[in-house]
Amino acid sequence: VGEKFEKKDMIISFSGGKDSTVVADLVHRALGDGNEKFLHIFGDTTLEFPSTYEYVKRYKEQHQDPIVSSKNKEKDFFELCKEIGPPSRVMRWCCTIFKTGAITRKLEKTSKSKSHVVTFYGIRRSESASRSKYEKESESPKIAKQTVISPIIDWNDFDVWLYLLTRKIDFNEAYRLGYARVGCFCCP
C-alpha cells in the first residue's frame, strides 16, 4: 500500500470500537515512521455509548492523530423513527443515513483536493453474512477515487482481543461491561 499511495492520502475509518482500534495500530506500525499522523474519521451517529465518546477523546489525546467527526446534522434519529418506524434487522435505514452517508460526505469534503485516497476499515468477514463477501482491497462503490483496505478482514474476535491484550492497547470501556459490539446503542 505504501508504495502505491502517499501516506498523506491515507485515512483511517475510526468507530471507537475494538476493530478500528486494531486497524489504527496496524496502520501506524506498518506505515508510520514513529511521528506519522494519519487522519481518522469518526462516524458519529449521535447514538454512540457515552464510553465511545470518552474513548475517542482518550485515543486522540494518547495518539495526537487528527480525528474529524462525521455527523448527519440535518436528520434526527427519533423523528425518523416516528416517520418510518424504528430500524430493524430487515430494514436498517439508520446506517445509510447516520453512518455511511455522513462518512461519505466527510470523505468527499476532506479529499476534494486529492486525486485518490485510501481508507482503512476495521471490518471482518466473521461479523455478518453480507460482510463475508467483502474483499480485502476494493474500489469504493460510493466514492470514485477511494480505495478501501480492510487489513483484518479475515480475523475473528479472538484474534482482535489477542492483539489488543498482548500489545496492551487501550480500548473502549463498554467491552468491560459485557458488550460484544459498541456501535449505536440501539442497533438491531
Side-chain angles (χ1 to χ4, degrees):
V1 172
E3 296 165 8
K4 272 170 79 174
F5 305 103
E6 293 186 46
K7 291 178 188 174
K8 66 178 179 60
D9 299 329
M10 296 181 184
I11 298 166
I12 297 170
S13 181
F14 192 73
S15 69
K18 66 187 183 306
D19 298 336
S20 63
T21 297
V22 167
V23 167
D25 190 69
L26 288 169
V27 169
H28 276 281
R29 289 182 66 207
L31 301 172
D33 61 7
N35 298 316
E36 196 79 49
K37 303 293 181 218
F38 293 95
L39 176 65
H40 292 50
I41 294 183
F42 170 56
D44 183 359
T45 63
T46 71
L47 302 167
E48 312 300 327
F49 288 106
S51 64
T52 299
Y53 293 112
E54 292 165 14
Y55 176 65
V56 170
K57 181 180 176 189
R58 204 167 62 239
Y59 180 92
K60 187 175 184 177
E61 290 167 358
Q62 292 170 355
H63 295 87
Q64 300 299 309
D65 278 317
I67 299 179
V68 296
S69 180
S70 67
K71 186 187 296 188
N72 186 332
K73 296 174 184 166
E74 296 84 43
K75 304 282 184 190
D76 178 83
F77 174 78
F78 298 103
E79 288 300 316
L80 284 174
C81 285
K82 288 178 193 173
E83 287 177 36
I84 58 178
S88 67
R89 290 187 65 66
V90 177
M91 196 169 92
R92 288 181 43 174
W93 53 263
C94 48
C95 288
T96 303
I97 295 171
F98 293 100
K99 194 166 191 173
T100 55
I103 291 172
T104 299
R105 284 192 301 281
K106 182 61 81 171
L107 270 170
E108 286 171 346
K109 186 176 180 182
T110 305
S111 64
K112 205 182 314 183
S113 64
K114 301 177 185 296
S115 62
H116 200 90
V117 294
V118 175
T119 305
F120 295 94
Y121 281 15
I123 58 169
R124 297 179 292 114
R125 289 185 177 122
S126 64
E127 291 179 287
S128 69
S130 62
R131 289 186 177 183
S132 69
K133 299 172 183 79
Y134 285 20
E135 296 296 325
K136 188 171 237 167
E137 182 176 332
S138 63
E139 296 306 311
S140 171
K142 295 177 182 172
I143 301 174
K145 59 183 182 176
Q146 178 191 31
T147 298
V148 175
I149 298 179
S150 304
I152 63 169
I153 192 89
D154 292 317
W155 291 28
N156 59 38
D157 276 351
F158 180 79
D159 299 318
V160 171
W161 283 113
L162 188 61
Y163 186 89
L164 287 170
L165 297 174
T166 57
R167 299 235 345 115
K168 296 179 174 69
I169 296 172
D170 185 21
F171 55 86
N172 190 321
E173 290 294 316
Y175 293 113
R176 294 186 192 279
L177 299 174
Y179 291 98
R181 298 182 56 95
V182 296
C184 302
F185 71 82
C186 58
C187 186

PDB file of all heavy atoms in Angstrom, residues 61-86:
ATOM      1  N   GLU A  61      -6.038  12.016  22.576  1.00  0.00           N
ATOM      2  CA  GLU A  61      -5.021  12.540  23.492  1.00  0.00           C
ATOM      3  C   GLU A  61      -3.775  11.658  23.502  1.00  0.00           C
ATOM      4  O   GLU A  61      -2.655  12.158  23.545  1.00  0.00           O
ATOM      5  CB  GLU A  61      -5.599  12.652  24.903  1.00  0.00           C
ATOM      6  CG  GLU A  61      -6.637  13.744  25.040  1.00  0.00           C
ATOM      7  CD  GLU A  61      -7.437  13.652  26.336  1.00  0.00           C
ATOM      8  OE1 GLU A  61      -7.229  12.699  27.143  1.00  0.00           O
ATOM      9  OE2 GLU A  61      -8.301  14.531  26.545  1.00  0.00           O
ATOM     10  N   GLN A  62      -3.964  10.352  23.461  1.00  0.00           N
ATOM     11  CA  GLN A  62      -2.836   9.420  23.534  1.00  0.00           C
ATOM     12  C   GLN A  62      -2.026   9.385  22.245  1.00  0.00           C
ATOM     13  O   GLN A  62      -0.820   9.164  22.263  1.00  0.00           O
ATOM     14  CB  GLN A  62      -3.333   8.007  23.850  1.00  0.00           C
ATOM     15  CG  GLN A  62      -3.887   7.850  25.230  1.00  0.00           C
ATOM     16  CD  GLN A  62      -4.602   6.512  25.428  1.00  0.00           C
ATOM     17  OE1 GLN A  62      -4.767   5.716  24.514  1.00  0.00           O
ATOM     18  NE2 GLN A  62      -5.048   6.276  26.655  1.00  0.00           N
ATOM     19  N   HIS A  63      -2.683   9.577  21.109  1.00  0.00           N
ATOM     20  CA  HIS A  63      -2.006   9.397  19.826  1.00  0.00           C
ATOM     21  C   HIS A  63      -1.733  10.681  19.071  1.00  0.00           C
ATOM     22  O   HIS A  63      -0.971  10.681  18.110  1.00  0.00           O
ATOM     23  CB  HIS A  63      -2.828   8.439  18.936  1.00  0.00           C
ATOM     24  CG  HIS A  63      -2.896   7.067  19.502  1.00  0.00           C
ATOM     25  ND1 HIS A  63      -3.860   6.691  20.407  1.00  0.00           N
ATOM     26  CD2 HIS A  63      -2.110   5.993  19.312  1.00  0.00           C
ATOM     27  CE1 HIS A  63      -3.668   5.430  20.744  1.00  0.00           C
ATOM     28  NE2 HIS A  63      -2.612   4.982  20.098  1.00  0.00           N
ATOM     29  N   GLN A  64      -2.380  11.742  19.425  1.00  0.00           N
ATOM     30  CA  GLN A  64      -2.204  13.025  18.756  1.00  0.00           C
ATOM     31  C   GLN A  64      -2.512  12.967  17.260  1.00  0.00           C
ATOM     32  O   GLN A  64      -2.008  13.758  16.472  1.00  0.00           O
ATOM     33  CB  GLN A  64      -0.776  13.563  18.977  1.00  0.00           C
ATOM     34  CG  GLN A  64      -0.424  13.774  20.434  1.00  0.00           C
ATOM     35  CD  GLN A  64      -1.321  14.794  21.113  1.00  0.00           C
ATOM     36  OE1 GLN A  64      -1.498  15.881  20.612  1.00  0.00           O
ATOM     37  NE2 GLN A  64      -1.903  14.423  22.242  1.00  0.00           N
ATOM     38  N   ASP A  65      -3.301  11.989  16.860  1.00  0.00           N
ATOM     39  CA  ASP A  65      -3.738  11.896  15.468  1.00  0.00           C
ATOM     40  C   ASP A  65      -4.915  12.837  15.267  1.00  0.00           C
ATOM     41  O   ASP A  65      -5.758  12.984  16.151  1.00  0.00           O
ATOM     42  CB  ASP A  65      -4.189  10.476  15.112  1.00  0.00           C
ATOM     43  CG  ASP A  65      -3.041   9.564  14.780  1.00  0.00           C
ATOM     44  OD1 ASP A  65      -2.136   9.987  14.059  1.00  0.00           O
ATOM     45  OD2 ASP A  65      -3.062   8.406  15.249  1.00  0.00           O
ATOM     46  N   PRO A  66      -5.005  13.453  14.103  1.00  0.00           N
ATOM     47  CA  PRO A  66      -6.201  14.266  13.842  1.00  0.00           C
ATOM     48  C   PRO A  66      -7.416  13.355  13.667  1.00  0.00           C
ATOM     49  O   PRO A  66      -7.359  12.373  12.943  1.00  0.00           O
ATOM     50  CB  PRO A  66      -5.851  14.988  12.536  1.00  0.00           C
ATOM     51  CG  PRO A  66      -4.779  14.168  11.898  1.00  0.00           C
ATOM     52  CD  PRO A  66      -4.060  13.458  13.001  1.00  0.00           C
ATOM     53  N   ILE A  67      -8.470  13.668  14.400  1.00  0.00           N
ATOM     54  CA  ILE A  67      -9.725  12.918  14.289  1.00  0.00           C
ATOM     55  C   ILE A  67     -10.813  13.916  13.946  1.00  0.00           C
ATOM     56  O   ILE A  67     -11.040  14.864  14.695  1.00  0.00           O
ATOM     57  CB  ILE A  67     -10.078  12.175  15.589  1.00  0.00           C
ATOM     58  CG1 ILE A  67      -8.997  11.153  15.949  1.00  0.00           C
ATOM     59  CG2 ILE A  67     -11.435  11.486  15.451  1.00  0.00           C
ATOM     60  CD1 ILE A  67      -9.254  10.391  17.240  1.00  0.00           C
ATOM     61  N   VAL A  68     -11.455  13.702  12.796  1.00  0.00           N
ATOM     62  CA  VAL A  68     -12.594  14.540  12.440  1.00  0.00           C
ATOM     63  C   VAL A  68     -13.854  13.701  12.580  1.00  0.00           C
ATOM     64  O   VAL A  68     -13.845  12.496  12.364  1.00  0.00           O
ATOM     65  CB  VAL A  68     -12.481  15.132  11.006  1.00  0.00           C
ATOM     66  CG1 VAL A  68     -11.301  16.078  10.898  1.00  0.00           C
ATOM     67  CG2 VAL A  68     -12.389  14.048   9.964  1.00  0.00           C
ATOM     68  N   SER A  69     -14.908  14.365  12.977  1.00  0.00           N
ATOM     69  CA  SER A  69     -16.171  13.689  13.196  1.00  0.00           C
ATOM     70  C   SER A  69     -17.081  13.889  11.995  1.00  0.00           C
ATOM     71  O   SER A  69     -17.128  14.978  11.427  1.00  0.00           O
ATOM     72  CB  SER A  69     -16.824  14.275  14.454  1.00  0.00           C
ATOM     73  OG  SER A  69     -18.052  13.652  14.701  1.00  0.00           O
ATOM     74  N   SER A  70     -17.762  12.836  11.600  1.00  0.00           N
ATOM     75  CA  SER A  70     -18.775  12.965  10.552  1.00  0.00           C
ATOM     76  C   SER A  70     -20.119  12.722  11.221  1.00  0.00           C
ATOM     77  O   SER A  70     -20.301  11.733  11.924  1.00  0.00           O
ATOM     78  CB  SER A  70     -18.541  11.961   9.424  1.00  0.00           C
ATOM     79  OG  SER A  70     -18.743  10.648   9.883  1.00  0.00           O
ATOM     80  N   LYS A  71     -21.021  13.655  11.031  1.00  0.00           N
ATOM     81  CA  LYS A  71     -22.312  13.592  11.711  1.00  0.00           C
ATOM     82  C   LYS A  71     -23.381  14.135  10.774  1.00  0.00           C
ATOM     83  O   LYS A  71     -23.166  15.137  10.105  1.00  0.00           O
ATOM     84  CB  LYS A  71     -22.239  14.449  12.972  1.00  0.00           C
ATOM     85  CG  LYS A  71     -23.445  14.381  13.861  1.00  0.00           C
ATOM     86  CD  LYS A  71     -23.376  15.379  15.005  1.00  0.00           C
ATOM     87  CE  LYS A  71     -22.240  15.102  15.944  1.00  0.00           C
ATOM     88  NZ  LYS A  71     -22.286  15.947  17.155  1.00  0.00           N
ATOM     89  N   ASN A  72     -24.517  13.473  10.726  1.00  0.00           N
ATOM     90  CA  ASN A  72     -25.645  13.963   9.942  1.00  0.00           C
ATOM     91  C   ASN A  72     -26.388  14.974  10.806  1.00  0.00           C
ATOM     92  O   ASN A  72     -27.110  14.612  11.723  1.00  0.00           O
ATOM     93  CB  ASN A  72     -26.576  12.819   9.541  1.00  0.00           C
ATOM     94  CG  ASN A  72     -27.670  13.269   8.614  1.00  0.00           C
ATOM     95  OD1 ASN A  72     -28.090  14.419   8.632  1.00  0.00           O
ATOM     96  ND2 ASN A  72     -28.154  12.360   7.796  1.00  0.00           N
ATOM     97  N   LYS A  73     -26.170  16.244  10.519  1.00  0.00           N
ATOM     98  CA  LYS A  73     -26.770  17.310  11.325  1.00  0.00           C
ATOM     99  C   LYS A  73     -28.174  17.681  10.860  1.00  0.00           C
ATOM    100  O   LYS A  73     -28.877  18.406  11.540  1.00  0.00           O
ATOM    101  CB  LYS A  73     -25.868  18.540  11.300  1.00  0.00           C
ATOM    102  CG  LYS A  73     -24.528  18.275  11.942  1.00  0.00           C
ATOM    103  CD  LYS A  73     -23.577  19.437  11.789  1.00  0.00           C
ATOM    104  CE  LYS A  73     -22.227  19.051  12.366  1.00  0.00           C
ATOM    105  NZ  LYS A  73     -21.183  19.963  11.987  1.00  0.00           N
ATOM    106  N   GLU A  74     -28.578  17.169   9.695  1.00  0.00           N
ATOM    107  CA  GLU A  74     -29.889  17.523   9.141  1.00  0.00           C
ATOM    108  C   GLU A  74     -31.019  16.624   9.636  1.00  0.00           C
ATOM    109  O   GLU A  74     -32.175  17.001   9.619  1.00  0.00           O
ATOM    110  CB  GLU A  74     -29.872  17.466   7.606  1.00  0.00           C
ATOM    111  CG  GLU A  74     -28.951  18.469   6.934  1.00  0.00           C
ATOM    112  CD  GLU A  74     -27.516  17.965   6.852  1.00  0.00           C
ATOM    113  OE1 GLU A  74     -27.300  16.791   6.521  1.00  0.00           O
ATOM    114  OE2 GLU A  74     -26.600  18.758   7.147  1.00  0.00           O
ATOM    115  N   LYS A  75     -30.679  15.420  10.050  1.00  0.00           N
ATOM    116  CA  LYS A  75     -31.721  14.447  10.424  1.00  0.00           C
ATOM    117  C   LYS A  75     -31.640  14.123  11.911  1.00  0.00           C
ATOM    118  O   LYS A  75     -30.573  14.133  12.506  1.00  0.00           O
ATOM    119  CB  LYS A  75     -31.558  13.144   9.630  1.00  0.00           C
ATOM    120  CG  LYS A  75     -31.557  13.309   8.127  1.00  0.00           C
ATOM    121  CD  LYS A  75     -32.947  13.507   7.607  1.00  0.00           C
ATOM    122  CE  LYS A  75     -32.911  13.566   6.082  1.00  0.00           C
ATOM    123  NZ  LYS A  75     -34.140  13.978   5.518  1.00  0.00           N
ATOM    124  N   ASP A  76     -32.776  13.805  12.496  1.00  0.00           N
ATOM    125  CA  ASP A  76     -32.855  13.376  13.883  1.00  0.00           C
ATOM    126  C   ASP A  76     -33.358  11.935  13.909  1.00  0.00           C
ATOM    127  O   ASP A  76     -34.416  11.632  13.337  1.00  0.00           O
ATOM    128  CB  ASP A  76     -33.807  14.300  14.666  1.00  0.00           C
ATOM    129  CG  ASP A  76     -33.962  13.850  16.095  1.00  0.00           C
ATOM    130  OD1 ASP A  76     -33.096  14.199  16.919  1.00  0.00           O
ATOM    131  OD2 ASP A  76     -34.950  13.126  16.389  1.00  0.00           O
ATOM    132  N   PHE A  77     -32.616  11.067  14.541  1.00  0.00           N
ATOM    133  CA  PHE A  77     -32.939   9.648  14.576  1.00  0.00           C
ATOM    134  C   PHE A  77     -34.356   9.389  15.099  1.00  0.00           C
ATOM    135  O   PHE A  77     -35.129   8.650  14.494  1.00  0.00           O
ATOM    136  CB  PHE A  77     -31.912   8.895  15.431  1.00  0.00           C
ATOM    137  CG  PHE A  77     -32.244   7.449  15.629  1.00  0.00           C
ATOM    138  CD1 PHE A  77     -31.990   6.525  14.620  1.00  0.00           C
ATOM    139  CD2 PHE A  77     -32.823   6.998  16.806  1.00  0.00           C
ATOM    140  CE1 PHE A  77     -32.305   5.179  14.789  1.00  0.00           C
ATOM    141  CE2 PHE A  77     -33.133   5.661  16.987  1.00  0.00           C
ATOM    142  CZ  PHE A  77     -32.872   4.750  15.972  1.00  0.00           C
ATOM    143  N   PHE A  78     -34.710   9.998  16.206  1.00  0.00           N
ATOM    144  CA  PHE A  78     -36.004   9.723  16.838  1.00  0.00           C
ATOM    145  C   PHE A  78     -37.174  10.268  16.012  1.00  0.00           C
ATOM    146  O   PHE A  78     -38.238   9.652  15.973  1.00  0.00           O
ATOM    147  CB  PHE A  78     -36.009  10.252  18.275  1.00  0.00           C
ATOM    148  CG  PHE A  78     -34.962   9.556  19.119  1.00  0.00           C
ATOM    149  CD1 PHE A  78     -33.774  10.190  19.439  1.00  0.00           C
ATOM    150  CD2 PHE A  78     -35.156   8.246  19.543  1.00  0.00           C
ATOM    151  CE1 PHE A  78     -32.805   9.534  20.183  1.00  0.00           C
ATOM    152  CE2 PHE A  78     -34.189   7.586  20.280  1.00  0.00           C
ATOM    153  CZ  PHE A  78     -33.003   8.231  20.603  1.00  0.00           C
ATOM    154  N   GLU A  79     -36.974  11.376  15.339  1.00  0.00           N
ATOM    155  CA  GLU A  79     -38.008  11.905  14.442  1.00  0.00           C
ATOM    156  C   GLU A  79     -38.226  10.952  13.268  1.00  0.00           C
ATOM    157  O   GLU A  79     -39.358  10.695  12.862  1.00  0.00           O
ATOM    158  CB  GLU A  79     -37.642  13.305  13.937  1.00  0.00           C
ATOM    159  CG  GLU A  79     -37.755  14.387  14.990  1.00  0.00           C
ATOM    160  CD  GLU A  79     -39.161  14.515  15.553  1.00  0.00           C
ATOM    161  OE1 GLU A  79     -40.132  14.496  14.770  1.00  0.00           O
ATOM    162  OE2 GLU A  79     -39.289  14.626  16.792  1.00  0.00           O
ATOM    163  N   LEU A  80     -37.134  10.423  12.714  1.00  0.00           N
ATOM    164  CA  LEU A  80     -37.252   9.464  11.610  1.00  0.00           C
ATOM    165  C   LEU A  80     -37.928   8.176  12.061  1.00  0.00           C
ATOM    166  O   LEU A  80     -38.676   7.561  11.303  1.00  0.00           O
ATOM    167  CB  LEU A  80     -35.887   9.176  10.994  1.00  0.00           C
ATOM    168  CG  LEU A  80     -35.334  10.265  10.089  1.00  0.00           C
ATOM    169  CD1 LEU A  80     -33.907   9.946   9.655  1.00  0.00           C
ATOM    170  CD2 LEU A  80     -36.215  10.441   8.869  1.00  0.00           C
ATOM    171  N   CYS A  81     -37.674   7.757  13.289  1.00  0.00           N
ATOM    172  CA  CYS A  81     -38.349   6.568  13.822  1.00  0.00           C
ATOM    173  C   CYS A  81     -39.857   6.774  13.850  1.00  0.00           C
ATOM    174  O   CYS A  81     -40.623   5.853  13.550  1.00  0.00           O
ATOM    175  CB  CYS A  81     -37.852   6.240  15.229  1.00  0.00           C
ATOM    176  SG  CYS A  81     -36.211   5.501  15.280  1.00  0.00           S
ATOM    177  N   LYS A  82     -40.293   7.991  14.186  1.00  0.00           N
ATOM    178  CA  LYS A  82     -41.723   8.301  14.200  1.00  0.00           C
ATOM    179  C   LYS A  82     -42.296   8.261  12.788  1.00  0.00           C
ATOM    180  O   LYS A  82     -43.416   7.801  12.571  1.00  0.00           O
ATOM    181  CB  LYS A  82     -41.975   9.683  14.805  1.00  0.00           C
ATOM    182  CG  LYS A  82     -41.761   9.751  16.287  1.00  0.00           C
ATOM    183  CD  LYS A  82     -41.981  11.185  16.774  1.00  0.00           C
ATOM    184  CE  LYS A  82     -41.466  11.367  18.181  1.00  0.00           C
ATOM    185  NZ  LYS A  82     -41.509  12.776  18.600  1.00  0.00           N
ATOM    186  N   GLU A  83     -41.509   8.737  11.818  1.00  0.00           N
ATOM    187  CA  GLU A  83     -41.981   8.812  10.426  1.00  0.00           C
ATOM    188  C   GLU A  83     -42.001   7.456   9.732  1.00  0.00           C
ATOM    189  O   GLU A  83     -42.978   7.110   9.066  1.00  0.00           O
ATOM    190  CB  GLU A  83     -41.087   9.760   9.612  1.00  0.00           C
ATOM    191  CG  GLU A  83     -41.280  11.220   9.922  1.00  0.00           C
ATOM    192  CD  GLU A  83     -40.312  12.088   9.132  1.00  0.00           C
ATOM    193  OE1 GLU A  83     -40.013  11.749   7.959  1.00  0.00           O
ATOM    194  OE2 GLU A  83     -39.851  13.096   9.686  1.00  0.00           O
ATOM    195  N   ILE A  84     -40.903   6.706   9.825  1.00  0.00           N
ATOM    196  CA  ILE A  84     -40.790   5.474   9.036  1.00  0.00           C
ATOM    197  C   ILE A  84     -40.674   4.208   9.877  1.00  0.00           C
ATOM    198  O   ILE A  84     -40.558   3.120   9.341  1.00  0.00           O
ATOM    199  CB  ILE A  84     -39.610   5.543   8.041  1.00  0.00           C
ATOM    200  CG1 ILE A  84     -38.291   5.797   8.758  1.00  0.00           C
ATOM    201  CG2 ILE A  84     -39.852   6.573   6.979  1.00  0.00           C
ATOM    202  CD1 ILE A  84     -37.076   5.825   7.845  1.00  0.00           C
ATOM    203  N   GLY A  85     -40.689   4.371  11.184  1.00  0.00           N
ATOM    204  CA  GLY A  85     -40.572   3.217  12.065  1.00  0.00           C
ATOM    205  C   GLY A  85     -39.131   2.994  12.476  1.00  0.00           C
ATOM    206  O   GLY A  85     -38.207   3.454  11.812  1.00  0.00           O
ATOM    207  N   PRO A  86     -38.945   2.276  13.571  1.00  0.00           N
ATOM    208  CA  PRO A  86     -37.579   2.040  14.041  1.00  0.00           C
ATOM    209  C   PRO A  86     -36.827   1.108  13.097  1.00  0.00           C
ATOM    210  O   PRO A  86     -37.437   0.309  12.384  1.00  0.00           O
ATOM    211  CB  PRO A  86     -37.790   1.386  15.412  1.00  0.00           C
ATOM    212  CG  PRO A  86     -39.137   0.767  15.330  1.00  0.00           C
ATOM    213  CD  PRO A  86     -39.949   1.646  14.413  1.00  0.00           C
TER     214      PRO A  86
END
